[in-house]
Amino acid sequence: MSRRYLIAGNWKMNGSLPANAELLGELALQQERYPGIDMLVCPPSVYLESAGRQLGGNMQLGAQNLSDQTKAGAFTGEVLGAMLAELGCRYVIVGHSERRALYGEDDATVARKFAAAQAAGLVPILCVGETLDEREGGGAETVLARQLGAVLGACGIGAFARAVVAYEPVWAIGTGRTATPEQAQAAHAFLRGQLAAQDAKIGDSTRLLYGGSVKADNASSLLSCGDVDGGLIGGASLKAAEFLAICASAQALSTN
Ligand code: 13P
């Protein structure tokens, strides 16, 4: 089947009201040039409402994190999935390696967040990926299987009909060191195989994004891989020209 490319910008903890307005203004002006792809921006949560008002027709809004709780209550500092949905979010990133490494999110927490996202009607973008040590020790696939398996075990394969998976090798995030197209394709094929082993149709239809130092000049070779259905872009999503060039690469490869 042909999966529609999703080009997602993870702004991480960056932005300001004026900078966001400038960036989103440029994206909104250009988005009509990429009708065959889905464009997504994931600003910090405090900017979601204002960003939502500045989107062009082809652009969607996503959050970077959510609470693992499914009901409002006494959880100081947390943001409920339903609140994100109320602001117009369609997607939410869960299990980003920065949250796993810096904020202690383990596989069980990530699985609860994945379920909480879906309970609120949001599409989780589940991030998985190995560290350099794990790759060099030959354990990359074991890590991917464990991270994906934790969510599969908790939520079931059916949940992946409404989810996106992002392969983000930790050693490629923010380092300028991108996975080669061969490395990305191999990891994506492995992840798709894990899903397909449980449900061939869901394995075939689930979008798998690559993330880790994607830039305008390497996007096309990564997006050309058969099992790469888009990108989760960090640094390059903060520059309109870079992000749009990545969107243009996806559009050029798109069959839509
Ligand atoms: P960079 O594109 O800055 O490497 O970040 C990737 C990432 O972590 C996206 O979620």
Side-chain angles (χ1 to χ4, degrees), residues 10 12 96 98 168 172-175 211-215 232-236:
N10 174 9
K12 308 193 180 183
H96 192 281
E98 286 152 16
E168 297 209 314
I173 294 177
T175 58
S213 298
V214 179
K215 306 268 183 294
L232 186 52
I233 323 296

Side-chain angles (χ1 to χ4, degrees), residues 171-172 175-180 183 210 212-215 218 222:
W171 47 272
T175 58
R177 180 176 170 191
T178 319
T180 63
Q183 287 170 324
Y210 170 79
S213 298
V214 179
K215 306 268 183 294
N218 60 25
L222 289 160

